[in-house]
């Protein structure tokens, strides 16, 4: 066996794509495409952190349904409960990160502990949510911009689609560079929010912080204060948790030691999240912020702290809008990675596992972009329409993942001290604190399950039904795809069936449309093979057929010509019928169909020709024991001058070899 | 040489298309797809007759610019002048129909007498105008419906597109059936118009016809009465002539004796046109109808004759709306026929000459539908925006056609009494009245040229510039296409170059992605050919390559395996580079690349596979002396059960033959 090192550069990829997404990267550089903790925060945390922009408001919106300002005070205990839930999930996911250093997303944890169905459910839920994250975040970010500049209102959908397109391009360049791009806005948002909270609490302490003016509580339909309402407010506020699973999926993107770096980033992120969320909720309560159609709670807060129209107020609003747009980027990091996992296991098209020129899962990025664009266009970039679809998937995956960890810890509980057992995904090591860890995971699983159920029930009519239909549908499709790949693998496998290498009779048939230089090439190829051959012409036009017969005679005995009549002017059907008959008459023989193809130098000129070889090739690929050979005749246009390159025209050989020599520079070393 | 009669039915075409456009027709039935004079009127006259719905109004709109009611009286002498022009063109075209019994459109007449450039100009002008006829007529018809039912206003563009779609389907069924469909509305319109004129003149004679009430003359910008204004009114009214060329293009659609039937239809049509046009203009003047944004002149006329809201009034409006929609059908009869003429001469893609299953030029119909749809969508189905583009093309083609007749008659003038000379298109026969005939054509050519110039000048800014740019652009593209076909024909020609039938060395290379049942088939094919061969694997994934090498060894010496490294994970570029090198090393040899292809039973399952053979086949077709063979492996799904059909698995042979026997019924007779 010989190995050849192909050293061709990216020049074959076209310069536009090089400009847009960068030059191709070699496979061995993959290990270098990892990120530091600081960049990791920016790449994976923007989704989670951006939820502080709306989580408090979501709680207040529900509580405001009572029509009572006093009830809004319940936002603080509810926020504390959510922070407890967040802490539980964080501790639980920290365990997961250490247990699964090669990536511990819900999909892997479920597959490892609960089996394929649970894994596919968790994966379908997450994939759905990643698409929604892009749609929701970008729509909401665009909405912020539009409320600041109302003149942009007619371009809302267009702007959202443009943002998706730009984000797609940035991500096709690769995760490291997109990390750098997104680090600035994430840290800018954090800086502005901490400044706002700091100044706010300082003014509160010094007694100079007033209350919100000019905003009034508006509720359309009054609801009594009930346990159900409080749970609803709690579940709405739980959107603060969306995005915290991102790091566990993306462990492999971190620099070594991966688990340690990823876990620290998770803890730092959750701490910041809790601080911001509680700070915003407490300050909002103090300034008596109310949910309003006209102004977001963040805006009310910033306005009260800094005063109307101050530069700092505008910077807070800008930072908030920006982080919402950036949140979408988390999905660009995670969706392709998760889709590649599904595809690698044969539950999604294999193409999703291919790394493109820039080592990213290009197909996954483009599928995400396409799905998000469709959602944004269909729902006219309306956050209100998108929100009820959102978050169910995340809480479903939380539940499945933590349930998986409970099962795993049950296995760990059976180990002797110091014992290590080889697991499916990672090793199982004795853990003296397994009871505590299992308790954390179990409590987390139960809590997130309850939140998911409340979500599904309270938002069923406004859109949750769609997700509750979509996830089982996706799981069904995933298993259908899996079934297909298993079937094909079975068909292809050499282990399960008898096969023998054998020599069969080959019947070579040249499909002749008319008699020209291309025909000469086809005849030369057939003669060179040395197998018996004859020509076949489908008669659509009697006059043309007569011409073909006359010209064929000029070849003088070079093979037999068979004419097939086609009264309905079809090409494919008579040829298929003829081949079927031939196969019946010659059991075991291989029918070798040879077709000419006029290869033009551009797509435009190619479209001027019938290209029947492509159609026929496809049509005949359904017949057994039929193989199809395409003999191209190159027609090059060089500024009006035409070159024909015929296999046999010896006088052109020199020019041809000259051209080949220039292309052969691409091949460098040939090793034996 | 042997001839085989393929008797397969239409079942291979799919049942949906059969349902929508009917079962395929055999070629020999073409002669029967002709129409009677009555149907001919409906097919070819609706465009011409529908112009009476707006021609009078167009004159009044221009005259009204003076702001004087008295000046509107000029409409009668202008209408008389237009009728004289119409009579001249009719007589002139009647001559053409007899001179060119196989179709005497401007394209053929120009090609026969003035050369290819004139023919392409006339053709481009007419093709443009046919597209505009569809767009204008349907937009105007929809506008009529919308003014009757204002609630439909938001669906204007959608309705127009829907009408185009329905008309396209009807025409894909074939001209005869579409003739029957369109006969009813054409005759309904004629009936309603003649009734209206009859009742109108009767009431005038008996003194019971009043004048229009409730409509006032409104003009935005006043213009003085001048010769230029009168010429503008004359040229605007000349839109009445659009469509009268249709019959001369469509002579072959008439039953024998073609020329006689077509000529009679033309005369009857022009007579009706003149009668309606003069009748409407005279009656409109008498009732003092004025151009108005709120109400069409036809509506004012019908309302005055029948009284407000009467059933007959509504029927006139319905008939007018209908004939406008039907007018588009004339273009569906003529555009594909003219495009096929261009394509037959190599000035448009050859595909336009193919007759589809129903013997119509399906490609032409679809190109017309697509172009008209784009126009309607871009200009939002606005007749106002479309009208200035319209009619220039028709008058340009009138001019070219009649100039061509003048040239032809000059040749005739040189003949002796009784002499007949063979012409390019048809015979030239001695004509004792050549002077009179030439005079008619010359006067017609000059008049239509003047009208065209006035049109172009007065409507230049509002849209005519686009057509004045478009027609030369189209002519340029037509000649580029022609140049391309001539080049390719030169390359393919066996006359212009030396060629020799020769046996060359064939190097067969099997492209191996992995080792499976498909590989067995490829090896069997290569072995069966008996030419030297080896296998090539492009290494994208080192782990996979190792597996391929191990599995290859299991074959035990069946051919050599070469590995090509691809560090950028590309497939096409390394293979191309390898083949180029091989061609350089083996001058004169044919490189025979064999690829496997997993052929699935549906497009959906096919999309789950990489289908790299299709991509590679395309990429390698640009290399000289490289031929590509595709060895398909069929994977059939039958309700969960998978069949694999391997060339060599003898145990499946019986089942396979059983299946083949059932399809072989399609092939009936084999003649030696």
């Amino acid at each position: 066996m010989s190995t050849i090192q192909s050293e061709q550069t990216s020049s074959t990829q076209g310069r536009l794509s090089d400009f847009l997404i960068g030059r191709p990267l070699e496979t061995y550089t993959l290990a270098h495409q990892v990120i530091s903790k600081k960049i990791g925060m920016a790449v994976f945390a923007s989704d989670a952190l951006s939820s502080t922009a709306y989580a408090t408001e979501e709680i207040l919106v529900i509580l405001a349904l009572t029509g009572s300002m006093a009830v809004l005070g319940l936002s603080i205990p509810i926020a504390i409960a959510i922070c407890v839930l967040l802490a539980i999930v964080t501790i639980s996911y920290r365990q997961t990160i250490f247990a699964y250093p090669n990536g511990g997303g819900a999909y892997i944890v479920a597959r490892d502990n609960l089996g394929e169905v649970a894994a596919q459910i968790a994966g379908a839920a997450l994939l759905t949510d990643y698409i929604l994250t892009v749609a929701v975040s970008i729509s909401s970010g665009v909405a912020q911009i539009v409320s600041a500049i109302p003149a942009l209102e007619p371009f809302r959908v267009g702007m959202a689609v443009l943002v998706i397109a730009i984000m797609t391009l940035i991500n096709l360049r690769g995760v490291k560079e997109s990390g750098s791009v997104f680090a600035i806005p994430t840290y800018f948002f954090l800086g502005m929010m901490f400044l706002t909270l700091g100044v706010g609490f300082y003014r509160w302490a010094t007694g100079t912080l007033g209350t919100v003016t000019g905003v009034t509580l508006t509720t359309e339909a009054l609801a009594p204060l009930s346990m159900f309402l409080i749970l609803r407010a709690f579940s709405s506020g739980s959107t603060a948790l969306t995005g915290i699973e991102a790091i566990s999926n993306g462990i492999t993107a971190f620099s070594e030691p991966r688990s340690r770096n990823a876990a620290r980033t998770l803890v730092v992120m959750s701490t910041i999240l809790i601080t911001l969320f509680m700070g915003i909720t407490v300050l909002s309560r103090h300034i008596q912020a109310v949910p309003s159609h006209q102004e977001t709670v963040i805006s009310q807060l910033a306005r009260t702290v800094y005063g109307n129209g101050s530069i700092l107020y505008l910077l807070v609003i800008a930072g908030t809008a920006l982080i919402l747009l950036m949140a979408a980027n988390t999905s660009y990091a995670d969706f392709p990675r998760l889709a590649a996992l599904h595809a690698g296991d044969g539950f999604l098209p294999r193409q999703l596992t291919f790394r493109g020129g820039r080592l990213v899962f290009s197909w996954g990025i483009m599928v995400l972009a396409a799905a998000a664009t469709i959602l944004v266009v269909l729902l006219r970039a309306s956050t209100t329409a998108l929100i009820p679809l959102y978050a169910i998937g995340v809480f479903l995956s939380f539940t499945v993942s933590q349930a998986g960890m409970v099962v795993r810890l049950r296995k760990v509980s059976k180990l002797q001290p110091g014992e290590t057992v080889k697991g499916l995904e990672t090793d199982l090591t004795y853990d003296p604190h397994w009871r505590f860890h299992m308790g954390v995971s179990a409590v987390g699983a139960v809590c997130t399950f309850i939140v998911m159920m409340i979500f599904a029930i309270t938002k069923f009519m406004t859109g949750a039904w769609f997700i509750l239909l979509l996830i089982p549908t996706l799981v069904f499709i995933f298993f259908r795809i899996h079934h297909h790949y298993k079937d094909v693998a079975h068909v292809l496998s050499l282990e399960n069936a008898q096969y023998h290498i054998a020599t069969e009779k080959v019947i070579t048939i040249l499909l002749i449309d008319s008699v020209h230089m291309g025909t000469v090439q086809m005849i030369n190829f057939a003669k060179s093979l040395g197998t018996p051959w004859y020509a076949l012409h489908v008669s659509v036009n009697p006059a043309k057929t007569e011409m073909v017969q006359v010209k064929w005679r000029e070849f003088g005995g070079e093979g037999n010509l068979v004419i097939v009549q086609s009264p309905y002017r079809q090409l494919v059907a008579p040829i298929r019928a003829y081949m079927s008959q031939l196969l019946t008459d010659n059991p075991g023989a291989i029918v070798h169909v040879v077709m000419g193809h006029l290869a033009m130098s551009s797509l435009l000129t190619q479209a001027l020709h019938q290209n029947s070889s492509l159609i026929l090739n496809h049509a005949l690929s359904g017949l057994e024991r039929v193989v199809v050979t395409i003999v191209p005749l190159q027609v090059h246009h060089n500024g009006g001058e035409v070159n024909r390159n015929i296999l046999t025209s010896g006088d052109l050989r020199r020019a041809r070899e000259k051209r080949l020599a220039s292309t052969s520079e691409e091949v460098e070393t040939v090793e034996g």
Side-chain angles (χ1 to χ4, degrees), chain A residues 559-592:
Chain A
N560 195 15
L561 176 66
V562 175
I563 309 288
V564 173
Q565 296 294 338
S566 174
Y568 297 102
R569 299 165 308 287
Q570 296 164 324
L571 203 59
V572 173
I575 291 175
R576 260 191 82 108
Y578 181 84
M579 297 303 162
S580 298
Q581 182 62 48
L582 204 66
L583 290 167
T584 318
D585 296 345
N586 297 277
I590 300 173
V591 174
H592 178 211

CSV table of all heavy atoms in Angstrom, one decimal, chain A residues 559-592:
chain,number,residue,atom,x,y,z
A,559,GLY,N,-18.8,-1.4,-34.8
A,559,GLY,CA,-19.9,-1.7,-33.9
A,559,GLY,C,-21.3,-1.6,-34.5
A,559,GLY,O,-21.5,-1.0,-35.6
A,560,ASN,N,-22.2,-2.2,-33.9
A,560,ASN,CA,-23.6,-2.3,-34.3
A,560,ASN,C,-24.4,-1.1,-33.7
A,560,ASN,O,-24.1,-0.7,-32.7
A,560,ASN,CB,-24.2,-3.7,-33.9
A,560,ASN,CG,-25.5,-3.9,-34.7
A,560,ASN,OD1,-25.7,-3.3,-35.7
A,560,ASN,ND2,-26.2,-4.9,-34.2
A,561,LEU,N,-25.4,-0.7,-34.5
A,561,LEU,CA,-26.2,0.4,-34.0
A,561,LEU,C,-27.7,-0.1,-33.8
A,561,LEU,O,-28.3,-0.6,-34.8
A,561,LEU,CB,-26.2,1.6,-34.9
A,561,LEU,CG,-27.1,2.8,-34.6
A,561,LEU,CD1,-26.7,3.5,-33.3
A,561,LEU,CD2,-27.1,3.8,-35.7
A,562,VAL,N,-28.2,0.0,-32.7
A,562,VAL,CA,-29.6,-0.4,-32.4
A,562,VAL,C,-30.5,0.9,-32.2
A,562,VAL,O,-30.0,1.8,-31.5
A,562,VAL,CB,-29.7,-1.3,-31.1
A,562,VAL,CG1,-31.1,-1.6,-30.8
A,562,VAL,CG2,-28.9,-2.5,-31.3
A,563,ILE,N,-31.6,0.9,-32.8
A,563,ILE,CA,-32.5,2.1,-32.7
A,563,ILE,C,-33.7,1.7,-31.9
A,563,ILE,O,-34.3,0.7,-32.1
A,563,ILE,CB,-33.0,2.5,-34.1
A,563,ILE,CG1,-31.9,2.7,-35.1
A,563,ILE,CG2,-33.9,3.8,-34.0
A,563,ILE,CD1,-31.0,3.9,-34.9
A,564,VAL,N,-34.0,2.5,-30.8
A,564,VAL,CA,-35.2,2.3,-30.0
A,564,VAL,C,-36.2,3.4,-30.3
A,564,VAL,O,-35.8,4.6,-30.2
A,564,VAL,CB,-34.8,2.2,-28.5
A,564,VAL,CG1,-36.1,2.2,-27.6
A,564,VAL,CG2,-33.9,1.0,-28.2
A,565,GLN,N,-37.4,3.0,-30.7
A,565,GLN,CA,-38.4,4.1,-31.0
A,565,GLN,C,-39.0,4.6,-29.7
A,565,GLN,O,-39.3,3.9,-28.8
A,565,GLN,CB,-39.5,3.5,-31.8
A,565,GLN,CG,-39.1,3.0,-33.2
A,565,GLN,CD,-38.6,4.2,-34.1
A,565,GLN,OE1,-39.0,5.3,-33.9
A,565,GLN,NE2,-37.8,3.8,-35.1
A,566,SER,N,-39.2,5.9,-29.7
A,566,SER,CA,-39.8,6.6,-28.5
A,566,SER,C,-41.0,7.5,-29.0
A,566,SER,O,-40.8,8.7,-29.2
A,566,SER,CB,-38.8,7.4,-27.7
A,566,SER,OG,-39.5,8.1,-26.7
A,567,PRO,N,-42.2,6.9,-29.1
A,567,PRO,CA,-43.3,7.7,-29.7
A,567,PRO,C,-43.7,8.8,-28.8
A,567,PRO,O,-44.3,9.8,-29.3
A,567,PRO,CB,-44.4,6.6,-29.9
A,567,PRO,CG,-44.0,5.5,-29.0
A,567,PRO,CD,-42.6,5.5,-28.9
A,568,TYR,N,-43.5,8.7,-27.5
A,568,TYR,CA,-43.9,9.8,-26.6
A,568,TYR,C,-42.8,10.8,-26.3
A,568,TYR,O,-42.8,11.6,-25.4
A,568,TYR,CB,-44.4,9.2,-25.2
A,568,TYR,CG,-45.6,8.3,-25.4
A,568,TYR,CD1,-45.5,6.9,-25.4
A,568,TYR,CD2,-46.9,8.9,-25.6
A,568,TYR,CE1,-46.6,6.1,-25.5
A,568,TYR,CE2,-48.0,8.1,-25.7
A,568,TYR,CZ,-47.9,6.7,-25.7
A,568,TYR,OH,-49.0,5.9,-25.8
A,569,ARG,N,-41.7,10.7,-27.2
A,569,ARG,CA,-40.6,11.6,-27.1
A,569,ARG,C,-39.9,11.6,-25.7
A,569,ARG,O,-39.3,12.6,-25.3
A,569,ARG,CB,-41.0,13.1,-27.4
A,569,ARG,CG,-41.6,13.2,-28.8
A,569,ARG,CD,-42.3,14.5,-28.9
A,569,ARG,NE,-43.3,14.7,-27.9
A,569,ARG,CZ,-44.5,14.1,-27.8
A,569,ARG,NH1,-44.8,13.2,-28.8
A,569,ARG,NH2,-45.3,14.3,-26.8
A,570,GLN,N,-40.0,10.5,-25.0
A,570,GLN,CA,-39.3,10.3,-23.8
A,570,GLN,C,-37.9,9.7,-24.0
A,570,GLN,O,-37.7,9.0,-25.0
A,570,GLN,CB,-40.0,9.4,-22.8
A,570,GLN,CG,-41.4,10.0,-22.4
A,570,GLN,CD,-42.2,8.9,-21.8
A,570,GLN,OE1,-42.2,7.7,-22.3
A,570,GLN,NE2,-43.0,9.3,-20.9
A,571,LEU,N,-37.0,10.0,-23.1
A,571,LEU,CA,-35.6,9.4,-23.3
A,571,LEU,C,-35.4,8.4,-22.2
A,571,LEU,O,-34.9,7.3,-22.5
A,571,LEU,CB,-34.6,10.6,-23.1
A,571,LEU,CG,-33.2,10.4,-23.7
A,571,LEU,CD1,-33.3,10.2,-25.2
A,571,LEU,CD2,-32.4,11.6,-23.4
A,572,VAL,N,-35.8,8.7,-21.0
A,572,VAL,CA,-35.4,7.8,-19.9
A,572,VAL,C,-36.2,6.5,-19.9
A,572,VAL,O,-35.6,5.4,-19.8
A,572,VAL,CB,-35.7,8.5,-18.5
A,572,VAL,CG1,-35.5,7.6,-17.4
A,572,VAL,CG2,-34.8,9.7,-18.4
A,573,ALA,N,-37.5,6.6,-20.1
A,573,ALA,CA,-38.4,5.4,-20.1
A,573,ALA,C,-38.0,4.3,-21.1
A,573,ALA,O,-37.8,3.1,-20.7
A,573,ALA,CB,-39.8,5.8,-20.2
A,574,PRO,N,-37.8,4.6,-22.4
A,574,PRO,CA,-37.4,3.6,-23.3
A,574,PRO,C,-36.0,3.0,-23.0
A,574,PRO,O,-35.8,1.7,-23.1
A,574,PRO,CB,-37.3,4.3,-24.7
A,574,PRO,CG,-38.0,5.6,-24.5
A,574,PRO,CD,-37.9,5.9,-23.0
A,575,ILE,N,-35.1,3.8,-22.5
A,575,ILE,CA,-33.8,3.2,-22.1
A,575,ILE,C,-33.9,2.3,-20.9
A,575,ILE,O,-33.3,1.2,-20.9
A,575,ILE,CB,-32.8,4.4,-21.9
A,575,ILE,CG1,-32.5,5.1,-23.2
A,575,ILE,CG2,-31.5,3.9,-21.3
A,575,ILE,CD1,-31.6,6.3,-23.0
A,576,ARG,N,-34.6,2.7,-19.9
A,576,ARG,CA,-34.8,1.8,-18.8
A,576,ARG,C,-35.5,0.5,-19.2
A,576,ARG,O,-35.1,-0.6,-18.7
A,576,ARG,CB,-35.7,2.5,-17.8
A,576,ARG,CG,-35.0,3.2,-16.6
A,576,ARG,CD,-36.0,3.6,-15.5
A,576,ARG,NE,-36.3,2.5,-14.7
A,576,ARG,CZ,-35.9,2.3,-13.4
A,576,ARG,NH1,-35.2,3.3,-12.9
A,576,ARG,NH2,-36.3,1.3,-12.7
A,577,ALA,N,-36.5,0.6,-20.0
A,577,ALA,CA,-37.2,-0.6,-20.5
A,577,ALA,C,-36.3,-1.5,-21.2
A,577,ALA,O,-36.2,-2.7,-21.0
A,577,ALA,CB,-38.4,-0.2,-21.3
A,578,TYR,N,-35.4,-0.9,-22.1
A,578,TYR,CA,-34.5,-1.7,-22.9
A,578,TYR,C,-33.5,-2.4,-22.0
A,578,TYR,O,-33.2,-3.6,-22.1
A,578,TYR,CB,-33.8,-0.8,-23.8
A,578,TYR,CG,-32.8,-1.5,-24.7
A,578,TYR,CD1,-33.2,-2.1,-25.9
A,578,TYR,CD2,-31.4,-1.6,-24.4
A,578,TYR,CE1,-32.3,-2.8,-26.7
A,578,TYR,CE2,-30.5,-2.2,-25.2
A,578,TYR,CZ,-30.9,-2.8,-26.3
A,578,TYR,OH,-30.0,-3.5,-27.1
A,579,MET,N,-33.0,-1.7,-21.0
A,579,MET,CA,-32.0,-2.2,-20.1
A,579,MET,C,-32.6,-3.4,-19.2
A,579,MET,O,-32.0,-4.4,-19.0
A,579,MET,CB,-31.4,-1.2,-19.1
A,579,MET,CG,-30.7,0.0,-19.8
A,579,MET,SD,-29.3,-0.6,-20.8
A,579,MET,CE,-29.0,0.8,-21.8
A,580,SER,N,-33.9,-3.2,-18.8
A,580,SER,CA,-34.5,-4.2,-18.0
A,580,SER,C,-34.6,-5.5,-18.8
A,580,SER,O,-34.4,-6.6,-18.3
A,580,SER,CB,-35.9,-3.7,-17.6
A,580,SER,OG,-35.9,-2.6,-16.8
A,581,GLN,N,-35.0,-5.3,-20.1
A,581,GLN,CA,-35.1,-6.5,-20.9
A,581,GLN,C,-33.8,-7.2,-21.1
A,581,GLN,O,-33.7,-8.4,-21.0
A,581,GLN,CB,-35.6,-6.0,-22.3
A,581,GLN,CG,-35.9,-7.1,-23.3
A,581,GLN,CD,-36.9,-8.1,-22.9
A,581,GLN,OE1,-38.0,-7.7,-22.4
A,581,GLN,NE2,-36.6,-9.4,-22.9
A,582,LEU,N,-32.7,-6.4,-21.3
A,582,LEU,CA,-31.4,-6.9,-21.5
A,582,LEU,C,-30.9,-7.7,-20.2
A,582,LEU,O,-30.3,-8.8,-20.3
A,582,LEU,CB,-30.5,-5.8,-21.7
A,582,LEU,CG,-29.2,-6.0,-22.5
A,582,LEU,CD1,-29.5,-6.5,-23.9
A,582,LEU,CD2,-28.3,-4.8,-22.5
A,583,LEU,N,-31.3,-7.2,-19.1
A,583,LEU,CA,-30.9,-7.8,-17.8
A,583,LEU,C,-31.6,-9.2,-17.7
A,583,LEU,O,-31.0,-10.2,-17.2
A,583,LEU,CB,-31.2,-6.9,-16.6
A,583,LEU,CG,-30.4,-5.7,-16.5
A,583,LEU,CD1,-31.0,-4.7,-15.5
A,583,LEU,CD2,-28.9,-6.0,-16.0
A,584,THR,N,-32.9,-9.2,-18.1
A,584,THR,CA,-33.6,-10.5,-18.0
A,584,THR,C,-33.0,-11.5,-19.0
A,584,THR,O,-32.9,-12.7,-18.7
A,584,THR,CB,-35.1,-10.2,-18.4
A,584,THR,OG1,-35.5,-9.0,-17.8
A,584,THR,CG2,-36.0,-11.3,-18.0
A,585,ASP,N,-32.6,-11.0,-20.2
A,585,ASP,CA,-32.1,-11.9,-21.2
A,585,ASP,C,-30.7,-12.4,-20.8
A,585,ASP,O,-30.3,-13.5,-21.3
A,585,ASP,CB,-32.0,-11.2,-22.6
A,585,ASP,CG,-33.4,-10.9,-23.1
A,585,ASP,OD1,-34.4,-11.4,-22.5
A,585,ASP,OD2,-33.5,-10.0,-24.0
A,586,ASN,N,-30.0,-11.7,-20.0
A,586,ASN,CA,-28.6,-12.0,-19.7
A,586,ASN,C,-28.4,-12.1,-18.1
A,586,ASN,O,-27.8,-11.2,-17.5
A,586,ASN,CB,-27.6,-11.0,-20.2
A,586,ASN,CG,-27.7,-11.0,-21.8
A,586,ASN,OD1,-27.0,-11.8,-22.4
A,586,ASN,ND2,-28.4,-10.0,-22.3
A,587,PRO,N,-29.0,-13.1,-17.5
A,587,PRO,CA,-28.9,-13.1,-16.0
A,587,PRO,C,-27.4,-13.2,-15.6
A,587,PRO,O,-26.7,-14.0,-16.2
A,587,PRO,CB,-29.7,-14.4,-15.7
A,587,PRO,CG,-29.8,-15.2,-16.9
A,587,PRO,CD,-29.7,-14.2,-18.0
A,588,GLY,N,-27.1,-12.4,-14.6
A,588,GLY,CA,-25.7,-12.4,-14.1
A,588,GLY,C,-24.8,-11.4,-14.8
A,588,GLY,O,-23.8,-11.1,-14.2
A,589,ALA,N,-25.1,-11.0,-16.0
A,589,ALA,CA,-24.2,-10.1,-16.8
A,589,ALA,C,-24.3,-8.7,-16.2
A,589,ALA,O,-25.3,-8.3,-15.6
A,589,ALA,CB,-24.6,-10.1,-18.2
A,590,ILE,N,-23.2,-8.0,-16.3
A,590,ILE,CA,-23.2,-6.6,-16.0
A,590,ILE,C,-23.4,-5.7,-17.2
A,590,ILE,O,-22.7,-5.9,-18.2
A,590,ILE,CB,-21.8,-6.2,-15.3
A,590,ILE,CG1,-21.6,-7.0,-14.1
A,590,ILE,CG2,-21.8,-4.7,-15.0
A,590,ILE,CD1,-20.2,-6.8,-13.5
A,591,VAL,N,-24.5,-4.9,-17.2
A,591,VAL,CA,-24.7,-4.0,-18.3
A,591,VAL,C,-24.0,-2.7,-18.1
A,591,VAL,O,-24.2,-2.0,-17.1
A,591,VAL,CB,-26.2,-3.8,-18.5
A,591,VAL,CG1,-26.5,-2.7,-19.6
A,591,VAL,CG2,-26.9,-5.1,-18.9
A,592,HIS,N,-23.1,-2.4,-19.0
A,592,HIS,CA,-22.2,-1.2,-18.8
A,592,HIS,C,-22.6,-0.2,-19.8
A,592,HIS,O,-22.4,-0.3,-21.0
A,592,HIS,CB,-20.8,-1.7,-19.1
A,592,HIS,CG,-19.8,-0.6,-19.0
A,592,HIS,ND1,-18.6,-0.6,-19.7
A,592,HIS,CD2,-19.7,0.6,-18.3
A,592,HIS,CE1,-17.9,0.5,-19.5
A,592,HIS,NE2,-18.6,1.2,-18.6
